[in-house]
mmCIF file of all heavy atoms in Angstrom:
data_model
loop_
_atom_site.group_PDB
_atom_site.id
_atom_site.type_symbol
_atom_site.label_atom_id
_atom_site.label_comp_id
_atom_site.label_asym_id
_atom_site.label_seq_id
_atom_site.Cartn_x
_atom_site.Cartn_y
_atom_site.Cartn_z
ATOM 1 N N ASP H 1 -19.206 16.465 72.427
ATOM 2 C CA ASP H 1 -19.198 17.896 72.126
ATOM 3 C C ASP H 1 -19.347 18.737 73.390
ATOM 4 O O ASP H 1 -19.690 18.240 74.462
ATOM 5 C CB ASP H 1 -20.327 18.226 71.152
ATOM 6 C CG ASP H 1 -20.097 17.607 69.783
ATOM 7 O OD1 ASP H 1 -18.956 17.220 69.495
ATOM 8 O OD2 ASP H 1 -21.070 17.514 69.007
ATOM 9 N N PHE H 2 -19.095 20.045 73.223
ATOM 10 C CA PHE H 2 -19.180 20.984 74.334
ATOM 11 C C PHE H 2 -20.435 21.840 74.213
ATOM 12 O O PHE H 2 -20.935 22.084 73.116
ATOM 13 C CB PHE H 2 -17.947 21.904 74.353
ATOM 14 C CG PHE H 2 -16.705 21.238 74.874
ATOM 15 C CD1 PHE H 2 -16.011 20.320 74.090
ATOM 16 C CD2 PHE H 2 -16.222 21.529 76.139
ATOM 17 C CE1 PHE H 2 -14.858 19.703 74.563
ATOM 18 C CE2 PHE H 2 -15.078 20.925 76.622
ATOM 19 C CZ PHE H 2 -14.395 20.005 75.841
ATOM 20 N N ALA H 3 -20.909 22.301 75.342
ATOM 21 C CA ALA H 3 -22.072 23.189 75.371
ATOM 22 C C ALA H 3 -21.921 24.160 76.531
ATOM 23 O O ALA H 3 -21.246 23.865 77.525
ATOM 24 C CB ALA H 3 -23.364 22.391 75.512
ATOM 25 N N GLY H 4 -22.546 25.313 76.390
ATOM 26 C CA GLY H 4 -22.460 26.299 77.464
ATOM 27 C C GLY H 4 -23.327 27.504 77.177
ATOM 28 O O GLY H 4 -24.243 27.458 76.351
ATOM 29 N N LEU H 5 -23.010 28.579 77.847
ATOM 30 C CA LEU H 5 -23.742 29.823 77.675
ATOM 31 C C LEU H 5 -22.801 30.995 77.880
ATOM 32 O O LEU H 5 -21.727 30.860 78.460
ATOM 33 C CB LEU H 5 -24.916 29.903 78.666
ATOM 34 C CG LEU H 5 -24.582 29.846 80.169
ATOM 35 C CD1 LEU H 5 -24.261 31.215 80.729
ATOM 36 C CD2 LEU H 5 -25.759 29.241 80.939
ATOM 37 N N ALA H 6 -23.210 32.134 77.367
ATOM 38 C CA ALA H 6 -22.437 33.360 77.550
ATOM 39 C C ALA H 6 -23.405 34.523 77.649
ATOM 40 O O ALA H 6 -24.484 34.509 77.041
ATOM 41 C CB ALA H 6 -21.467 33.566 76.393
ATOM 42 N N GLN H 7 -23.000 35.530 78.398
ATOM 43 C CA GLN H 7 -23.861 36.690 78.578
ATOM 44 C C GLN H 7 -23.008 37.936 78.785
ATOM 45 O O GLN H 7 -22.013 37.912 79.495
ATOM 46 C CB GLN H 7 -24.762 36.479 79.787
ATOM 47 C CG GLN H 7 -25.713 37.629 80.100
ATOM 48 C CD GLN H 7 -26.634 37.278 81.251
ATOM 49 O OE1 GLN H 7 -27.537 36.461 81.125
ATOM 50 N NE2 GLN H 7 -26.403 37.899 82.401
ATOM 51 N N PHE H 8 -23.404 39.010 78.119
ATOM 52 C CA PHE H 8 -22.756 40.290 78.359
ATOM 53 C C PHE H 8 -23.805 41.387 78.372
ATOM 54 O O PHE H 8 -24.876 41.252 77.778
ATOM 55 C CB PHE H 8 -21.660 40.592 77.312
ATOM 56 C CG PHE H 8 -22.150 40.667 75.894
ATOM 57 C CD1 PHE H 8 -22.705 41.834 75.376
ATOM 58 C CD2 PHE H 8 -22.040 39.570 75.047
ATOM 59 C CE1 PHE H 8 -23.143 41.906 74.066
ATOM 60 C CE2 PHE H 8 -22.475 39.625 73.731
ATOM 61 C CZ PHE H 8 -23.027 40.801 73.241
ATOM 62 N N ASP H 9 -23.486 42.459 79.065
ATOM 63 C CA ASP H 9 -24.385 43.604 79.161
ATOM 64 C C ASP H 9 -23.853 44.765 78.333
ATOM 65 O O ASP H 9 -22.637 44.958 78.220
ATOM 66 C CB ASP H 9 -24.537 44.072 80.610
ATOM 67 C CG ASP H 9 -25.392 43.122 81.439
ATOM 68 O OD1 ASP H 9 -26.013 42.217 80.837
ATOM 69 O OD2 ASP H 9 -25.426 43.289 82.670
ATOM 70 N N VAL H 10 -24.761 45.509 77.753
ATOM 71 C CA VAL H 10 -24.421 46.720 77.011
ATOM 72 C C VAL H 10 -25.112 47.897 77.683
ATOM 73 O O VAL H 10 -26.326 47.867 77.896
ATOM 74 C CB VAL H 10 -24.870 46.627 75.534
ATOM 75 C CG1 VAL H 10 -24.588 47.938 74.799
ATOM 76 C CG2 VAL H 10 -24.167 45.471 74.837
ATOM 77 N N VAL H 11 -24.337 48.903 78.046
ATOM 78 C CA VAL H 11 -24.883 50.111 78.664
ATOM 79 C C VAL H 11 -24.468 51.301 77.819
ATOM 80 O O VAL H 11 -23.272 51.522 77.585
ATOM 81 C CB VAL H 11 -24.376 50.293 80.111
ATOM 82 C CG1 VAL H 11 -24.910 51.597 80.694
ATOM 83 C CG2 VAL H 11 -24.795 49.110 80.968
ATOM 84 N N GLU H 12 -25.448 52.044 77.349
ATOM 85 C CA GLU H 12 -25.179 53.193 76.489
ATOM 86 C C GLU H 12 -25.663 54.467 77.163
ATOM 87 O O GLU H 12 -26.822 54.566 77.566
ATOM 88 C CB GLU H 12 -25.863 53.005 75.138
ATOM 89 C CG GLU H 12 -25.366 51.773 74.406
ATOM 90 C CD GLU H 12 -26.232 51.448 73.200
ATOM 91 O OE1 GLU H 12 -27.400 51.120 73.382
ATOM 92 O OE2 GLU H 12 -25.716 51.548 72.082
ATOM 93 N N SER H 13 -24.782 55.418 77.302
ATOM 94 C CA SER H 13 -25.148 56.680 77.929
ATOM 95 C C SER H 13 -25.876 57.562 76.926
ATOM 96 O O SER H 13 -25.730 57.409 75.709
ATOM 97 C CB SER H 13 -23.900 57.399 78.445
ATOM 98 O OG SER H 13 -22.977 57.621 77.402
ATOM 99 N N ALA H 14 -26.652 58.511 77.437
ATOM 100 C CA ALA H 14 -27.440 59.387 76.576
ATOM 101 C C ALA H 14 -26.540 60.376 75.845
ATOM 102 O O ALA H 14 -25.699 61.023 76.444
ATOM 103 C CB ALA H 14 -28.463 60.150 77.411
ATOM 104 N N VAL H 15 -26.734 60.470 74.557
ATOM 105 C CA VAL H 15 -25.996 61.429 73.736
ATOM 106 C C VAL H 15 -26.997 62.212 72.897
ATOM 107 O O VAL H 15 -27.708 61.633 72.077
ATOM 108 C CB VAL H 15 -24.995 60.726 72.793
ATOM 109 C CG1 VAL H 15 -24.329 61.735 71.888
ATOM 110 C CG2 VAL H 15 -23.956 59.974 73.604
ATOM 111 N N PRO H 16 -27.110 63.518 73.086
ATOM 112 C CA PRO H 16 -28.051 64.309 72.295
ATOM 113 C C PRO H 16 -27.727 64.245 70.804
ATOM 114 O O PRO H 16 -26.566 64.332 70.402
ATOM 115 C CB PRO H 16 -27.864 65.732 72.833
ATOM 116 C CG PRO H 16 -27.251 65.551 74.179
ATOM 117 C CD PRO H 16 -26.392 64.333 74.065
ATOM 118 N N GLU H 17 -28.752 64.085 69.996
ATOM 119 C CA GLU H 17 -28.560 64.089 68.555
ATOM 120 C C GLU H 17 -28.355 65.522 68.056
ATOM 121 O O GLU H 17 -28.810 66.485 68.693
ATOM 122 C CB GLU H 17 -29.772 63.467 67.865
ATOM 123 C CG GLU H 17 -29.984 62.004 68.249
ATOM 124 C CD GLU H 17 -31.177 61.408 67.565
ATOM 125 O OE1 GLU H 17 -31.891 62.159 66.875
ATOM 126 O OE2 GLU H 17 -31.405 60.200 67.709
ATOM 127 N N PRO H 18 -27.672 65.707 66.930
ATOM 128 C CA PRO H 18 -27.425 67.057 66.406
ATOM 129 C C PRO H 18 -28.690 67.891 66.248
ATOM 130 O O PRO H 18 -28.701 69.087 66.550
ATOM 131 C CB PRO H 18 -26.757 66.776 65.054
ATOM 132 C CG PRO H 18 -26.091 65.456 65.238
ATOM 133 C CD PRO H 18 -27.013 64.672 66.124
ATOM 134 N N THR H 19 -29.772 67.261 65.772
ATOM 135 C CA THR H 19 -31.012 68.026 65.592
ATOM 136 C C THR H 19 -31.564 68.505 66.931
ATOM 137 O O THR H 19 -32.190 69.562 67.014
ATOM 138 C CB THR H 19 -32.070 67.159 64.883
ATOM 139 O OG1 THR H 19 -32.236 65.930 65.603
ATOM 140 C CG2 THR H 19 -31.638 66.840 63.463
ATOM 141 N N THR H 20 -31.344 67.732 67.977
ATOM 142 C CA THR H 20 -31.810 68.140 69.301
ATOM 143 C C THR H 20 -31.055 69.363 69.781
ATOM 144 O O THR H 20 -31.634 70.291 70.368
ATOM 145 C CB THR H 20 -31.640 66.982 70.302
ATOM 146 O OG1 THR H 20 -32.349 65.839 69.815
ATOM 147 C CG2 THR H 20 -32.182 67.371 71.672
ATOM 148 N N TRP H 21 -29.730 69.372 69.555
ATOM 149 C CA TRP H 21 -28.943 70.554 69.929
ATOM 150 C C TRP H 21 -29.456 71.790 69.192
ATOM 151 O O TRP H 21 -29.574 72.877 69.769
ATOM 152 C CB TRP H 21 -27.465 70.334 69.587
ATOM 153 C CG TRP H 21 -26.730 69.473 70.567
ATOM 154 C CD1 TRP H 21 -26.232 68.218 70.358
ATOM 155 C CD2 TRP H 21 -26.412 69.796 71.929
ATOM 156 N NE1 TRP H 21 -25.623 67.739 71.487
ATOM 157 C CE2 TRP H 21 -25.721 68.690 72.468
ATOM 158 C CE3 TRP H 21 -26.660 70.903 72.744
ATOM 159 C CZ2 TRP H 21 -25.257 68.661 73.782
ATOM 160 C CZ3 TRP H 21 -26.186 70.874 74.057
ATOM 161 C CH2 TRP H 21 -25.501 69.777 74.559
ATOM 162 N N LEU H 22 -29.752 71.645 67.908
ATOM 163 C CA LEU H 22 -30.236 72.781 67.122
ATOM 164 C C LEU H 22 -31.568 73.292 67.659
ATOM 165 O O LEU H 22 -31.800 74.500 67.743
ATOM 166 C CB LEU H 22 -30.366 72.376 65.648
ATOM 167 C CG LEU H 22 -29.058 72.107 64.904
ATOM 168 C CD1 LEU H 22 -29.344 71.596 63.494
ATOM 169 C CD2 LEU H 22 -28.213 73.373 64.842
ATOM 170 N N MET H 23 -32.457 72.365 68.020
ATOM 171 C CA MET H 23 -33.750 72.781 68.553
ATOM 172 C C MET H 23 -33.590 73.519 69.880
ATOM 173 O O MET H 23 -34.268 74.513 70.150
ATOM 174 C CB MET H 23 -34.653 71.555 68.745
ATOM 175 C CG MET H 23 -35.117 70.914 67.445
ATOM 176 S SD MET H 23 -36.235 69.526 67.740
ATOM 177 C CE MET H 23 -37.623 70.383 68.474
ATOM 178 N N MET H 24 -32.664 73.037 70.709
ATOM 179 C CA MET H 24 -32.442 73.685 71.988
ATOM 180 C C MET H 24 -31.915 75.110 71.795
ATOM 181 O O MET H 24 -32.393 76.065 72.417
ATOM 182 C CB MET H 24 -31.447 72.879 72.824
ATOM 183 C CG MET H 24 -31.193 73.471 74.208
ATOM 184 S SD MET H 24 -29.907 72.580 75.105
ATOM 185 C CE MET H 24 -28.462 73.036 74.138
ATOM 186 N N LEU H 25 -30.923 75.252 70.906
ATOM 187 C CA LEU H 25 -30.358 76.576 70.649
ATOM 188 C C LEU H 25 -31.399 77.513 70.051
ATOM 189 O O LEU H 25 -31.456 78.700 70.387
ATOM 190 C CB LEU H 25 -29.151 76.441 69.721
ATOM 191 C CG LEU H 25 -27.940 75.694 70.318
ATOM 192 C CD1 LEU H 25 -26.866 75.528 69.261
ATOM 193 C CD2 LEU H 25 -27.392 76.443 71.522
ATOM 194 N N ALA H 26 -32.219 76.957 69.151
ATOM 195 C CA ALA H 26 -33.271 77.780 68.552
ATOM 196 C C ALA H 26 -34.264 78.235 69.611
ATOM 197 O O ALA H 26 -34.742 79.374 69.598
ATOM 198 C CB ALA H 26 -33.989 76.994 67.456
ATOM 199 N N GLY H 27 -34.565 77.344 70.563
ATOM 200 C CA GLY H 27 -35.485 77.697 71.634
ATOM 201 C C GLY H 27 -34.948 78.828 72.492
ATOM 202 O O GLY H 27 -35.669 79.784 72.814
ATOM 203 N N PHE H 28 -33.672 78.745 72.840
ATOM 204 C CA PHE H 28 -33.070 79.826 73.620
ATOM 205 C C PHE H 28 -33.071 81.137 72.833
ATOM 206 O O PHE H 28 -33.291 82.214 73.378
ATOM 207 C CB PHE H 28 -31.634 79.457 74.006
ATOM 208 C CG PHE H 28 -31.555 78.550 75.195
ATOM 209 C CD1 PHE H 28 -30.883 77.345 75.123
ATOM 210 C CD2 PHE H 28 -32.169 78.899 76.395
ATOM 211 C CE1 PHE H 28 -30.803 76.513 76.216
ATOM 212 C CE2 PHE H 28 -32.085 78.065 77.503
ATOM 213 C CZ PHE H 28 -31.408 76.866 77.413
#
């Protein structure tokens, strides 16, 4: 039989949530 390994990276950029946008606008 065969054996091995695998690896990958996940990078997620910051995305403001809708409620955060509303809070920011309300603050302004």
